[in-house]
Amino acid sequence: MSLKVGDIITFTRTFTVRDVELFIGISGDEGIHHVSPDEQGRRVIQGLLTATLPTKVGGDHNVLARTMNFEFFRPVFTGDTISCEVKIEKFERQENDRTAITATFTCENQNGKEVLQGLFSGVIL
């Protein structure tokens, strides 16, 4: 395994109207702010859709999450580009031949404003 404590992994994504529509279909989260554009023509991205950024990094490394904590600071809108930085905080082999992992993450929009932070932990399959 190439991950180690202190590693930082980044991922960036720009959210689209189509992303919101697909997530509505999957989640059923069709609040008016997700369906109707604001005065600038933007829709608000669902919080859990924004939270797919750190889960994507976990998925890239075959993490089976056991705990996920999210703290949302401001809305994300269609057209926003969000950068997610995941830092490996704990990484250790367990007796059952699995590897436990704990990571923290911070997500910022294209203006450098923090939109989401949190933590996930689990095991690597």
Side-chain angles (χ1 to χ4, degrees), residues 36-80:
S36 297
D38 67 6
E39 59 281 346
Q40 296 175 0
R42 308 170 303 173
R43 294 188 194 185
V44 175
I45 304 297
Q46 295 91 340
L48 289 179
L49 178 54
T50 304
T52 63
L53 291 169
T55 65
K56 188 252 191 257
V57 171
D60 286 349
H61 296 278
N62 297 315
V63 174
L64 178 61
R66 289 188 173 158
T67 303
M68 301 177 86
N69 295 315
F70 302 105
E71 185 173 2
F72 299 91
F73 296 107
R74 56 183 38 85
V76 174
F77 298 94
T78 52
D80 282 356

Side-chain angles (χ1 to χ4, degrees):
M1 179 61 54
S2 61
L3 291 176
K4 60 187 179 305
V5 171
D7 281 356
I8 295 175
I9 304 155
T10 59
F11 177 70
T12 301
R13 178 176 179 181
T14 301
F15 288 98
T16 67
V17 170
R18 182 74 179 135
D19 294 331
V20 173
E21 291 170 346
L22 288 170
F23 200 77
I24 286 171
I26 292 167
S27 69
D29 182 356
E30 55 186 337
I32 192 71
H33 49 294
H34 303 311
V35 176
S36 297
D38 67 6
E39 59 281 346
Q40 296 175 0
R42 308 170 303 173
R43 294 188 194 185
V44 175
I45 304 297
Q46 295 91 340
L48 289 179
L49 178 54
T50 304
T52 63
L53 291 169
T55 65
K56 188 252 191 257
V57 171
D60 286 349
H61 296 278
N62 297 315
V63 174
L64 178 61
R66 289 188 173 158
T67 303
M68 301 177 86
N69 295 315
F70 302 105
E71 185 173 2
F72 299 91
F73 296 107
R74 56 183 38 85
V76 174
F77 298 94
T78 52
D80 282 356
T81 299
I82 307 300
S83 295
C84 182
E85 182 177 282
V86 176
K87 182 178 180 185
I88 307 304
E89 302 289 346
K90 183 178 177 184
F91 192 81
E92 61 184 24
R93 288 300 265 181
Q94 297 179 318
E95 290 179 15
N96 63 2
D97 206 32
R98 297 277 176 128
T99 301
I101 185 170
T102 300
T104 55
F105 57 86
T106 302
C107 299
E108 293 184 350
N109 65 19
Q110 67 277 1
N111 300 316
K113 300 287 187 181
E114 190 172 34
V115 298
L116 172 64
Q117 74 174 11
L119 172 140
F120 66 81
S121 64
V123 295
I124 296 178
L125 299 177

